Amino acid sequence: MQAAAAAAAAALALTVLFNLDGLSALQSKPSTQNHEDGHTQNNETEPEQKKKKQPHIIFILTDDQGFNDIGYHNPTIKTPTLDKLAAEGVTLENYYVQPICTPSRSQLLTGRYQIHTGLQHSIIRPSQPSCLPSHMDTLPERLREAGYTTHMVGKWHLGFYRKACLPTRKGFDSFFGSLTGSVDYYSYGSCDGPGVCGYDLHEDEGVAWGHEGKYSTMLFTQRARKILESHDPAGRPLFLLLSLQAVHTPLQPPKPYIYPYRDMANVARRKYAAMVSTVDESVRNLTYALRKYGYYKNSVIIYSTDNGAQPFTGGSNWPLRGRKGTYWEGGVRGVAFVHSPLLRRRRRVSKALLHITDWFPTLVGLAGGNISQSRGLDGFDVWSTISEGKESPRQEILHNIDPLHKAPAQTMKWDADTDGDSGRLSKRRTFKKPKKKILKKQPKKKILKKQPKQRSALKLKSMKKPQTFPHRVQKPKSKLKVKPLPKKKPKPKPQTKDYAQHQSDHRFKYRSARLPPASGTSDPKSQPRVQSTLTPKSRRTTSQKQNSGSIQPNSKTQLKFHLKSKSRRTVSQHLNESQPGTSPPTPHTTLQFNPEPSQTLWDTSVQAAIRVGDWKLLTGDPGHGDWVPPQVLPTLPGRWWNLERTFPSFHKSSTHKNIWLFNITGDPYERQDVADQRPDVVQQLLARLAYYNQTAVPVYFPPDDPRANPSQHGGAWVPWVDEDEEEEGKYQGVYKKGKSSKKKRKKKRCPLCKLKSFFLKLNTGMMSNRI
């Protein structure tokens, strides 16, 4: 009995096991099918998930908003929306832009310094046949390649003389706004000087008539909201550039916005503050639309100004030094913040060094695009710096090199001068002869050739009339002969190892030195190698004058220098072309600098500015350098269209100082110039300027084209050059007025004609300013 029971139990166990195996086999097949189906489904939805990861990018660019013109810097300015967005995001407190409109906008869209786009000098005026280089790719083009739909609303100011320069030809799917630099907020009239005025409001590539009477800030905001409403946020990602005209002149705020600032005594400041409040309301309406239409949770909002404020028109950069159009901190240090739910570390202030060129690689990388396709970028991908608080890859900023803007009269030239084996660096001043002394025709020039391993030859022209200098000319230590003048002249004293400054007894001793570790380029091997020798050469072309780091004296100068650079431009213009297969710039580029005997390091009369680590160097004429508190804002000195043009300083120093050095980290307000105390740092930063100057392309600043006059185009600013015309590059560099223009100025006019001209200009000015 027991044996039979055991056998039955064993048979039952085998039967159950067999049934379980069969059941598991039956269940395994559908599970495999479900896994395969799920894998296929994941492959199908992978592109959709990639699209969802691409954030919507909203870039808000204001015009002429100063450092002290936002609520979180100045509580008297009422910007609750901007303050809240900045507080909940990342406030950028070490962010730099360019001092005027066109350079900032060009660097935003191209990611390149203006020395690489030919826009080093001034702005693009409405009548100038100039725009962004045709061969250079732009930010909206790269985003469109990454799958974005791109739209621009507002101010362009990057040239429009031909249709190829329009925003819709530079990567934007749509455009609604103005093409010139300054437009009336209600009538949309824009003037390029007295009597040259026209309508400037465009949609895509045509004129948008019929919007007169609508305030531009509100009109642009309404168009931006329509774009958000018509676009599907779940579909393609969106890039929207809202480039507001505010708070640029003319000062025309709606009256209801002026009332909160009625206690401000300065009228211009009151109107300016009211216009800032209109910007705040515009951003509030835009962010509301982002939440309403489903963009906000997957969006990145960037707010930035294009340059510093102009105190003459109510703006304020206090406590920073300088103003719009200058390379002091007040002109180039911008207001900016980033607000996004995608930020990993929010509610903080970032003091990482950032520049407007960084937005190109940052946004392309954030969109999943390929940055390596854009060759010659000067910007860095700083998203990890903004989002996670990591160290910025940027260690230096070239603010600009403008070879057309030189300091007047006296100039200074820094040489790499070897004195035996010491290898010290010396600073030499040269003085131009006063114009009054040139009374007779000069004889032919006589040039002394430079001997090997000696300083640059210095030759004085012989003159029939004795020549006098306000300062003593020191005899060079090397055995180079200087031909004396025909008449009596005191003997120059032998030069000592120390350098005697102009109108000062302060002396310098230059040694082979290194930048401090805080500068970011402390290793001397990281400095550029600048090689040049001195040989006689009598003439130079315009483009060589623009990009040469040596002094180019005019015909009236009585000192002749001989320079021939071995390293003219090692990086040609194709550096900036868009070609695949190249990598973005690295933050630590190894560049050698070894000064040679008799080497000219930098012409300090050239307007230039550079920031390396903590240090900032300015040469030439950096612009008006006052500190203007808001309560003492001056009144407007002239017409608003002259505010972006270059004028000589009203308060010129008798010594014409042309080198400044500041430690921006320790002295952010630029009150302590330490160029005299730190000549080693000055020399290293001048070497950086010389390196960048080798990569510069010629300045393109053509003359005004009379065909641009709106009176010839139905009263509107429109492209005036046909596409088949080869207008680009026609002028081969910089336009300079010839003798014919001077002759026209000398024409005599009767007093009655002058009176008529005065009233005509007065009437035109009143109409253009809507007084």
Side-chain angles (χ1 to χ4, degrees):
M1 294 290 293
Q2 292 179 354
L12 182 60
L14 290 173
T15 303
V16 172
L17 182 61
F18 176 77
N19 292 335
L20 290 174
D21 291 341
L23 182 62
S24 62
L26 291 174
Q27 291 178 349
S28 63
K29 188 174 182 180
S31 66
T32 304
Q33 290 179 352
N34 290 338
H35 177 72
E36 292 176 355
D37 293 343
H39 181 69
T40 304
Q41 189 175 3
N42 289 337
N43 288 338
E44 292 176 354
T45 59
E46 186 175 354
E48 296 180 1
Q49 292 178 355
K50 184 179 180 180
K51 286 183 180 179
K52 290 181 180 179
K53 291 181 180 178
Q54 291 178 292
H56 305 289
I57 302 173
I58 313 298
F59 200 109
I60 304 170
L61 185 66
T62 59
D63 201 346
D64 291 5
Q65 185 176 7
F67 187 80
N68 198 39
D69 297 330
I70 196 166
Y72 59 79
H73 284 165
N74 181 7
T76 61
I77 303 296
K78 298 172 175 56
T79 55
T81 302
L82 298 178
D83 297 346
K84 182 179 180 182
L85 293 176
E88 295 176 352
V90 178
T91 306
L92 307 180
E93 289 293 275
N94 200 13
Y95 170 73
Y96 286 86
V97 291
Q98 297 306 112
I100 50 179
C101 301
T102 297
S104 285
R105 296 167 192 274
S106 67
Q107 297 193 33
L108 168 65
L109 293 186
T110 65
R112 283 99 170 173
Y113 290 142
Q114 57 199 95
I115 64 167
H116 296 147
T117 59
L119 301 174
Q120 297 97 310
H121 185 69
S122 190
I123 59 172
I124 298 178
R125 300 197 311 275
S127 299
Q128 277 187 301
S130 177
C131 69
L132 290 177
S134 59
H135 66 273
M136 194 169 292
D137 61 331
T138 63
L139 174 61
E141 288 176 347
R142 287 290 175 239
L143 292 178
R144 190 159 61 179
E145 291 176 1
Y148 276 70
T149 176
T150 57
H151 302 276
M152 179 176 176
V153 178
K155 176 179 174 178
W156 174 242
H157 204 188
L158 288 173
F160 61 93
Y161 75 100
R162 62 195 315 162
K163 287 189 176 180
C165 301
L166 296 177
T168 51
R169 306 291 180 97
K170 294 295 183 181
F172 288 102
D173 295 328
S174 71
F175 169 73
F176 181 79
S178 60
L179 298 175
T180 62
S182 182
V183 181
D184 187 278
Y185 282 77
Y186 291 98
S187 66
Y188 301 98
S190 177
C191 296
D192 189 24
V196 187
C197 300
Y199 185 81
D200 183 19
L201 187 63
H202 296 74
E203 186 167 5
D204 294 333
E205 297 183 3
V207 181
W209 299 99
H211 293 281
E212 295 88 344
K214 300 177 182 177
Y215 193 65
S216 68
T217 304
M218 299 177 182
L219 182 64
F220 294 158
T221 306
Q222 290 174 2
R223 177 53 63 98
R225 293 190 63 178
K226 287 183 179 179
I227 293 174
L228 296 176
E229 183 180 2
S230 60
H231 183 74
D232 181 15
R236 295 177 62 187
L238 173 73
F239 171 63
L240 173 62
L241 174 57
L242 178 59
S243 178
L244 295 174
Q245 176 190 351
V247 286
H248 196 287
T249 51
L251 300 178
Q252 296 174 321
K255 291 184 179 179
Y257 295 87
I258 302 178
Y259 184 78
Y261 302 100
R262 61 190 180 277
D263 295 333
M264 287 187 176
N266 187 282
V267 177
R269 181 63 174 168
R270 188 189 312 162
K271 292 182 177 180
Y272 184 96
M275 293 171 68
V276 175
S277 293
T278 65
V279 173
D280 185 79
E281 183 181 272
S282 171
V283 175
R284 179 174 65 85
N285 293 333
L286 188 66
T287 52
Y288 175 80
L290 290 173
R291 296 176 186 272
K292 179 180 179 180
Y293 300 118
Y295 293 88
Y296 177 76
K297 292 183 179 180
N298 188 36
S299 66
V300 176
I301 302 173
I302 302 168
Y303 182 91
S304 169
T305 183
D306 67 339
N307 48 250
Q310 176 56 265
F312 282 146
T313 58
S316 176
N317 304 305
W318 181 262
L320 302 181
R321 183 178 186 178
R323 61 194 183 196
K324 169 185 177 178
T326 72
Y327 291 96
W328 305 107
E329 289 292 285
V332 296
R333 187 171 173 183
V335 171
F337 63 81
V338 178
H339 179 94
S340 174
L342 306 178
L343 293 171
R344 295 189 178 181
R345 292 183 57 193
R346 290 179 284 176
R347 301 179 182 276
R348 64 184 184 88
V349 175
S350 173
K351 294 189 178 180
L353 186 63
L354 304 176
H355 188 247
I356 194 169
T357 54
D358 297 332
W359 294 121
F360 186 110
T362 300
L363 298 182
V364 173
L366 189 62
N370 189 357
I371 307 176
S372 63
Q373 295 180 358
S374 300
R375 188 174 181 177
L377 290 179
D378 294 308
F380 296 91
D381 188 344
V382 293
W383 180 248
S384 60
T385 302
I386 297 173
S387 177
E388 303 174 23
K390 294 183 178 179
E391 182 180 359
S392 174
R394 176 175 290 280
Q395 300 297 323
E396 64 184 42
I397 297 173
L398 175 67
H399 293 297
N400 192 26
I401 299 173
D402 186 356
L404 300 187
H405 191 163
K406 288 194 173 185
Q410 173 185 333
T411 58
M412 182 185 291
K413 191 175 182 180
W414 284 66
D415 292 347
D417 181 27
T418 56
D419 196 346
D421 297 332
S422 62
R424 69 180 179 88
L425 289 165
S426 67
K427 181 172 63 174
R428 181 176 68 240
R429 286 186 185 271
T430 63
F431 304 97
K432 295 184 179 181
K433 182 187 174 184
K435 294 182 180 180
K436 295 181 181 179
K437 297 296 179 181
I438 303 176
L439 301 175
K440 298 181 180 180
K441 186 177 180 181
Q442 304 292 333
K444 292 184 178 180
K445 301 173 183 178
K446 295 181 180 181
I447 299 173
L448 288 177
K449 294 185 178 180
K450 180 186 72 68
Q451 301 297 330
K453 296 183 180 180
Q454 289 181 343
R455 295 184 183 178
S456 58
L458 180 61
K459 179 68 180 177
L460 295 177
K461 293 183 181 179
S462 61
M463 300 183 64
K464 294 181 180 179
K465 187 174 181 179
Q467 171 173 299
T468 59
F469 291 89
H471 300 278
R472 192 167 45 197
V473 180
Q474 295 179 348
K475 184 177 179 181
K477 186 176 180 179
S478 59
K479 298 180 181 180
L480 291 179
K481 296 182 179 180
V482 180
K483 187 175 180 180
L485 294 174
K487 295 189 178 182
K488 294 181 180 181
K489 181 180 178 182
K491 291 184 179 181
K493 293 184 179 181
Q495 181 176 347
T496 60
K497 291 185 179 181
D498 293 339
Y499 169 72
Q501 275 196 350
H502 172 51
Q503 291 186 350
S504 173
D505 292 333
H506 184 77
R507 300 179 183 273
F508 293 95
K509 289 187 179 180
Y510 289 86
R511 300 175 295 275
S512 178
R514 301 172 60 186
L515 276 176
S519 67
T521 55
S522 58
D523 189 357
K525 295 183 180 181
S526 65
Q527 299 303 319
R529 182 186 299 274
V530 184
Q531 299 177 350
S532 63
T533 57
L534 297 171
T535 67
K537 191 169 184 178
S538 60
R539 295 183 181 178
R540 294 188 181 276
T541 61
T542 303
S543 60
Q544 286 174 336
K545 287 182 180 181
Q546 296 161 10
N547 297 296
S548 174
S550 63
I551 294 180
Q552 301 292 338
N554 55 34
S555 60
K556 296 181 181 179
T557 305
Q558 303 306 313
L559 302 177
K560 181 67 181 178
F561 293 93
H562 319 295
L563 174 66
K564 183 177 180 181
S565 175
K566 286 184 179 179
S567 53
R568 289 180 179 174
R569 189 185 305 158
T570 57
V571 183
S572 59
Q573 189 170 358
H574 76 272
L575 172 72
N576 304 304
E577 294 179 358
S578 305
Q579 295 180 1
T582 59
S583 57
T586 56
H588 304 289
T589 306
T590 303
L591 298 167
Q592 302 250 339
F593 172 75
N594 293 321
E596 294 183 353
S598 302
Q599 173 192 325
T600 299
L601 184 59
W602 185 254
D603 177 6
T604 56
S605 68
V606 174
Q607 185 188 63
I610 189 171
R611 167 81 180 270
V612 179
D614 298 332
W615 299 101
K616 178 181 178 181
L617 179 76
L618 303 101
T619 67
D621 179 15
H624 199 76
D626 279 354
W627 296 266
V628 185
Q631 64 271 17
V632 294
L633 290 175
T635 57
L636 184 65
R639 293 186 178 90
W640 52 265
W641 58 71
N642 288 327
L643 293 178
E644 294 199 38
R645 304 194 177 180
T646 303
F647 292 98
S649 177
F650 292 103
H651 307 283
K652 293 182 181 178
S653 172
S654 59
T655 59
H656 300 296
K657 179 177 176 61
N658 52 11
I659 287 185
W660 294 264
L661 178 68
F662 300 95
N663 185 327
I664 297 299
T665 303
D667 179 24
Y669 310 140
E670 297 173 302
R671 294 185 178 272
Q672 300 296 328
D673 178 16
V674 294
D676 295 350
Q677 290 77 20
R678 298 304 304 269
D680 55 332
V681 179
V682 171
Q683 185 270 330
Q684 295 287 359
L685 267 62
L686 290 175
R688 294 300 296 165
L689 286 176
Y691 161 72
Y692 279 113
N693 196 54
Q694 293 178 1
T695 70
V697 301
V699 179
Y700 190 72
F701 193 72
D704 292 346
D705 192 337
R707 296 178 296 172
N709 197 318
S711 62
Q712 303 180 21
H713 308 282
W717 290 103
V718 295
W720 66 89
V721 175
D722 296 333
E723 293 301 312
D724 54 351
E725 291 187 44
E726 295 182 359
E727 190 79 14
E728 186 172 1
K730 174 181 176 182
Y731 299 97
Q732 301 295 329
V734 183
Y735 165 69
K736 291 185 178 180
K737 293 183 179 180
K739 296 182 180 179
S740 59
S741 62
K742 294 182 180 179
K743 290 181 180 179
K744 292 180 180 178
R745 293 178 182 177
K746 293 181 181 179
K747 288 183 179 180
K748 295 182 179 180
R749 294 182 180 180
C750 61
L752 182 61
C753 298
K754 292 183 178 180
L755 188 63
K756 290 181 179 179
S757 176
F758 168 77
F759 282 108
L760 178 61
K761 291 181 180 179
L762 178 63
N763 183 55
T764 305
M766 293 174 65
M767 293 300 295
S768 62
N769 284 306
R770 297 298 184 273
I771 297 178

